[in-house]
Amino acid sequence: MSQCPTSTSLPDGAYEALFTHGIDGFLLASPEGEILRANPRACELLGRSEAELIEVGRAGLVDRRDPRWVEAVERRGRDGAYRGVLRLRRGDGSTFPAEVSTALLPGGDTPLAYVSFRDMTAAEAEAARTAESRRAAAEVVDSLESFSDMYFGVDADWRITYINAQAEARLGVSRDDVVGRDLWQHFPDLLGTPFEEAYREAVRTRRPVTVEACYAAADLWAETRVFPLRRGGLGVYFRDVGERRAMEQERERLLTAERRARTDAERAQHDLAHRATHDDLTGLPNRTGLVQQVGAVLDRWPVAGMTLLFIDLDRFKLVNDSLGHAAGDALLAVAASRLAELAGSTELVARFGGDEFVMAMFDASVVAADRMAAAVIAALSEPVETGARLAVTASVGMASSAVPADLDTLLREADAAMHRAKDGGGGRAAWFDEQMHLQSVHRVRTERDLRLALERDELFLEYQPAFDLRFERITHVEALVRWRHPERGVVPPLEFVPVAEEAGLIGRLGEWVLGRVVEQATRWAHVPGLRVWVNVSPRQLADGRMPDVLATHLARAGLGADRLGIEVTESTFADSSCMAAVLEEVRALGVAVAIDDFGTGYSSLARLGDLPVDVIKIDRSFVQDLGTARGEAVLSSIVTLAHALDAEVIAEGVETLEQLRALSVLGADSASGFLLARPAAPEHLPMVLADPASARPQLHPSVARVPRELRVH
Ligand code: C2E
Ligand code: MG
Ligand code: MG
């Protein structure tokens, strides 16, 4: 502390003036504590007159509860002076803090003490306030530190003023490095982000702003609240919401996936429903679709009558086979659209598979139906360009009935009428009539009974042998199926095999026949070189399983493949070109293939060479023609050609000796027919010898009658 300069003494009256006008309270007292004088400021501060002060003395001015007083008394006693803060009492009993300085006045005979004091109320309050705000600030900082949220503050110049521990850790910075630094310089990745926008908006609007965005530099999805501070600058709270966002995103992803799955399922459901009722190729309703739509029309409108047009393209199979399926499909698609156009919005049209279409007309007169049939035939016979120019005709069968109609029956009737139109040469329409009705009823019954027949084991086989014309022995037998109907007696195959084919029962029937034939052939294993032929319908070959089925049967029975042959009709080859491949597989097994009823069907002699067959069975009708020059010429050329192709020729239906002779002369290899043997149960066949050891089959007497010189050797 510097010494007061003493060189210049105060002028006279200065002390008195300081005493009287001083800003501090001033008391003059005896060392014992009697107050001798008090200045006006002291009177003012202590709320007493000078006289009163003199009366209460120094001790009466102090708040004795103030612990500092004891210390003050001690200090003064020891040092003769004291300086410090004490609480003083006013005249009204209230107290106030005062900075008090007391000491003995130097000089003079009677020692005097002075007390000067000033009111510290305001200063103390200010100090308390400062302490409080310090404490509060410390508390804020503490709480900012203990926050789970992250926080940093910037001042009005974007200088970072504070950053809490969480923010340090998450942002990977240290407080010492960032505090005092420019926010944008230190975190340049904030520039151009929604965060920058939010900070600036908070500064501009003086309102808190909330923003949620990703701070890529720290791979941080932050929910941020920006508070403008009163003193300027910003406080920025933010929290990592990455997990929540990930959960939200996952939820969103799941929701989207679920939504997509639901849509997919609905679409699939719809597709399924559509596919179940519609035809893929033409988009027209299929059979199920037609049944549904007819039902819907009948439900909705007061319809009295319904007419069905069963439409079938003539010789469509030829198009398919010769030009390929693509051309066939194109043709069907065009046909479908032409029919749909004719049907308009009043009639229904559907595709029943293959080249069959059905149109349903409601309350149509016979004339209107006839007109529609003619329009259909005309429309379908218009040429179609599918790479090649195709022209087909169509056959239409018509049937009508009053509503409610049995749609199945009506369809069957229209179908039957269509077949009649076809039989009449195609390209025409025909109505279903009474006779057809009876036939169709009969057919329905046959189908129903046939199903039962398969279950009740009403089918049986007869075998008809064929004789080698050169070696005079039985070369093979043909298995022929029969049905012992409980009411109709024995039904011939031509009456039920076609029904089985149409009703989809031919597979089961064929399996049954094959099983029995293989069994029987095994029983005939002792007869040398005997082959058993079995008739197979085209539909049995369609799925391509025949080679496997045959192989399985042979293996199971332990039968040599050379003991079995299958007969197929010429129409088999007309149906599809892949049949030939299936038959090649059958032959590869060692099972022979015969073309049955040759000459009645579709193949021309010229095509014979393309057919994968071992045997040609000449139809009975040619045998009957023998005796005429033309008949013999035809037969002769078949035999010649067949032999040139290394195929055997068997003539069927030989009923007379003349026929047998003629066949022998023409060079047919074998013959069968009522003349030689009727189809019969296996036990009645001539080759069943009493003694299997002498296994040479008997020569049939009729064959024996053929003069030796006529036999071809
Ligand atoms: P197909 O295979 O041509 O059989 C020959 C048919 O001619 C047999 O008629 C037979 O009884 C008959 N027949 C034999 N010799 C003579 C004769 O000298 N004069 C006359 N008028 N007829 C004779 P069936 O048994 O009525 O068989 C008819 C057709 O039924 C068979 O013709 C064959 O195509 C078919 N069929 C027979 N069995 C089966 C079978 O198991 N499966 C299949 N898919 N069709 C069979
Ligand atoms: Mg046959
Ligand atoms: Mg035949």
Side-chain angles (χ1 to χ4, degrees):
M1 219 170 130
S2 59
Q3 286 278 304
C4 286
T6 51
S7 51
T8 321
S9 53
L10 288 171
D12 283 350
Y15 290 112
E16 196 56 38
L18 278 174
F19 183 81
T20 310
H21 304 294
I23 196 152
D24 291 338
F26 200 85
L27 302 171
L28 207 58
S30 70
E32 289 75 37
E34 289 158 323
I35 291 171
L36 307 174
R37 289 209 47 198
N39 74 346
R41 179 65 176 152
C43 296
E44 183 191 332
L45 288 173
L46 293 168
R48 296 178 196 265
S49 65
E50 190 173 24
E52 283 167 343
L53 288 172
I54 289 168
E55 195 187 326
V56 294
R58 192 171 56 188
L61 298 182
V62 187
D63 179 354
R64 297 192 185 190
R65 287 165 305 179
D66 185 347
R68 291 169 293 189
W69 178 67
V70 181
E71 189 202 329
V73 172
E74 269 175 22
R75 181 96 58 84
R76 201 183 55 224
R78 192 173 62 237
D79 305 340
Y82 166 79
R83 185 167 179 173
V85 176
L86 289 174
R87 287 200 84 75
L88 302 186
R89 282 162 68 92
R90 297 198 185 89
D92 61 5
S94 63
T95 63
F96 67 95
E99 189 176 13
V100 178
S101 169
T102 175
L104 291 175
L105 280 177
D109 305 335
T110 11
L112 285 176
Y114 73 86
V115 179
S116 87
F117 62 96
R118 65 176 56 156
D119 186 353
M120 295 298 286
T121 306
E124 211 167 67
E126 178 57 30
R129 253 198 315 275
T130 309
E132 173 57 27
S133 68
R134 281 224 183 87
R135 196 189 51 72
E139 224 167 63
V140 167
V141 168
D142 278 355
S143 63
L144 287 176
E145 287 302 315
S146 62
F147 245 24
S148 60
D149 279 0
M150 292 167 273
Y151 174 86
F152 69 85
V154 289
D155 65 14
D157 297 325
W158 299 107
R159 263 194 308 270
I160 299 166
T161 52
Y162 176 74
I163 182 162
N164 76 352
Q166 281 76 1
E168 274 183 298
R170 186 66 181 80
L171 299 177
V173 295
S174 129
R175 187 173 301 171
D176 297 341
D177 290 344
V178 299
V179 169
R181 299 280 305 275
D182 180 88
L183 175 72
W184 309 119
Q185 266 173 21
H186 206 81
F187 297 103
D189 293 313
L190 285 173
L191 289 166
T193 64
F195 298 111
E196 184 193 1
E197 226 170 84
Y199 300 166
R200 295 200 188 278
E201 186 187 333
V203 169
R204 196 174 61 248
T205 59
R206 313 286 318 140
R207 285 176 183 285
V209 176
T210 304
V211 62
E212 185 173 315
C214 181
Y215 178 54
D219 191 20
L220 169 69
W221 263 100
E223 180 192 334
T224 302
R225 191 135 168 90
V226 190
F227 288 95
L229 301 175
R230 220 176 310 133
R231 61 170 185 273
L234 299 172
V236 180
Y237 295 86
F238 53 108
R239 92 169 42 150
D240 187 346
V241 291
E243 214 167 287
R244 181 201 6 105
R245 280 198 67 92
M247 275 167 62
E248 278 171 5
Q249 272 167 0
E250 179 62 9
R251 219 176 117 242
E252 187 54 35
R253 197 185 62 74
L254 288 175
L255 275 177
T256 317
E258 192 200 312
R259 225 174 288 134
R260 188 170 319 127
R262 207 180 311 126
T263 330
D264 285 355
E266 277 165 11
R267 194 172 307 135
Q269 177 77 33
H270 182 264
D271 282 359
L272 271 183
H274 192 267
R275 205 172 304 155
T277 53
H278 286 78
D279 164 51
D280 269 353
L281 175 65
T282 62
L284 289 179
N286 58 16
R287 188 187 183 106
T288 316
L290 182 81
V291 170
Q292 259 180 23
Q293 295 194 356
V294 165
V297 169
L298 299 186
D299 282 350
R300 225 172 304 146
W301 312 104
V303 171
M306 178 162 67
T307 305
L308 293 189
L309 275 65
F310 206 106
I311 303 152
D312 189 287
L313 303 183
D314 301 324
R315 285 180 294 281
F316 174 71
K317 285 194 174 72
L318 254 182
V319 173
N320 239 2
D321 283 352
S322 49
L323 298 174
H325 286 291
D329 286 356
L331 179 64
L332 288 173
V334 173
S337 72
R338 290 180 184 169
L339 289 175
E341 200 173 310
L342 282 175
S345 56
T346 46
E347 326 297 358
L348 300 177
V349 64
R351 179 179 174 220
F352 269 35
D355 55 346
E356 293 175 347
F357 297 89
V358 170
M359 188 184 286
M361 301 175 77
F362 300 94
D363 288 334
S365 66
V366 171
V367 175
D370 278 338
R371 214 179 295 129
M372 178 60 91
V376 164
I377 291 168
L380 295 184
S381 61
E382 287 282 316
V384 174
E385 288 291 339
T386 62
R389 197 172 146 88
L390 300 178
V392 291
T393 54
S395 299
V396 180
M398 291 183 283
S400 71
S401 92
V403 163
D406 172 4
L407 197 59
D408 276 348
T409 307
L410 204 52
L411 277 168
R412 219 170 9 244
E413 291 177 355
D415 187 8
M418 183 276 289
H419 276 109
R420 219 185 48 174
K422 225 164 236 236
D423 292 345
R428 67 189 68 197
W431 279 95
F432 180 78
D433 61 26
E434 189 52 30
Q435 205 220 323
M436 291 171 76
H437 171 71
L438 291 175
Q439 278 171 6
S440 114
V441 167
H442 181 69
R443 214 204 77 95
V444 169
R445 265 196 215 130
T446 304
E447 181 184 326
R448 185 197 59 200
D449 291 354
L450 190 57
R451 285 178 199 280
L452 294 173
L454 285 163
E455 284 158 26
R456 294 189 199 151
D457 209 17
E458 289 171 0
L459 301 179
F460 65 99
L461 292 177
E462 285 190 333
Y463 295 86
Q464 187 177 29
F467 294 83
D468 183 326
L469 294 178
R470 276 177 287 178
F471 301 112
E472 305 170 357
R473 59 188 175 95
I474 293 175
T475 50
H476 65 255
V477 290
E478 176 179 5
L480 296 160
V481 69
R482 276 97 183 78
W483 174 13
R484 189 170 289 111
H485 190 282
E487 288 149 27
R488 287 158 66 186
V490 174
V491 181
L494 289 179
E495 281 186 33
F496 66 89
V497 168
V499 177
E501 285 176 340
E502 273 176 48
L505 294 168
I506 194 66
R508 279 171 66 198
L509 189 148
E511 273 275 322
W512 182 87
V513 169
L514 193 61
R516 285 299 168 91
V517 165
V518 168
E519 249 172 54
Q520 185 55 52
T522 313
R523 260 181 241 131
W524 280 327
H526 64 280
V527 185
L530 183 77
R531 201 189 280 274
V532 185
W533 291 98
V534 55
N535 290 284
V536 166
S537 89
R539 294 207 187 186
Q540 281 175 270
L541 295 169
D543 65 3
R545 283 174 46 235
M546 185 51 88
D548 285 347
V549 171
L550 286 171
T552 311
H553 274 289
L554 291 174
R556 198 182 298 147
L559 184 70
D562 59 340
R563 290 307 184 108
L564 199 62
I566 63 169
E567 296 184 12
V568 295
T569 53
E570 283 175 83
S571 62
T572 308
F573 300 97
D575 276 352
S576 159
S577 50
C578 51
M579 291 292 192
V582 177
L583 292 177
E584 286 290 11
E585 277 184 64
V586 170
R587 292 177 76 203
L589 289 174
V591 174
V593 173
I595 184 158
D596 203 356
D597 305 339
F598 185 79
T600 55
Y602 155 91
S603 299
S604 65
L605 273 180
R607 259 199 82 187
L608 197 54
D610 302 334
L611 306 181
V613 293
D614 306 287
V615 169
I616 291 164
K617 299 188 89 177
I618 297 176
D619 189 61
R620 202 170 66 226
S621 54
F622 288 96
V623 175
Q624 277 163 1
D625 271 359
L626 285 173
T628 66
R630 197 182 139 270
E632 285 186 11
V634 171
L635 240 163
S636 159
S637 57
I638 296 176
V639 171
T640 312
L641 192 62
H643 284 164
L645 297 168
D646 223 12
E648 238 181 90
V649 177
I650 303 176
E652 285 191 310
V654 180
E655 291 181 350
T656 67
L657 206 53
E658 286 69 37
Q659 288 167 349
L660 191 66
R661 279 206 190 104
L663 287 167
S664 183
V665 170
L666 290 169
D669 299 285
S670 319
S672 67
F674 292 170
L675 173 72
L676 302 165
R678 285 187 174 263
E683 57 273 25
H684 296 130
L685 289 184
M687 77 273 198
V688 180
L689 304 170
D691 176 14
S694 71
R696 192 171 188 277
Q698 285 170 323
L699 175 64
H700 192 274
S702 308
V703 179
R705 268 186 270 145
V706 177
R708 274 213 163 265
E709 65 278 12
L710 289 183
R711 297 195 202 132
V712 182
H713 294 284

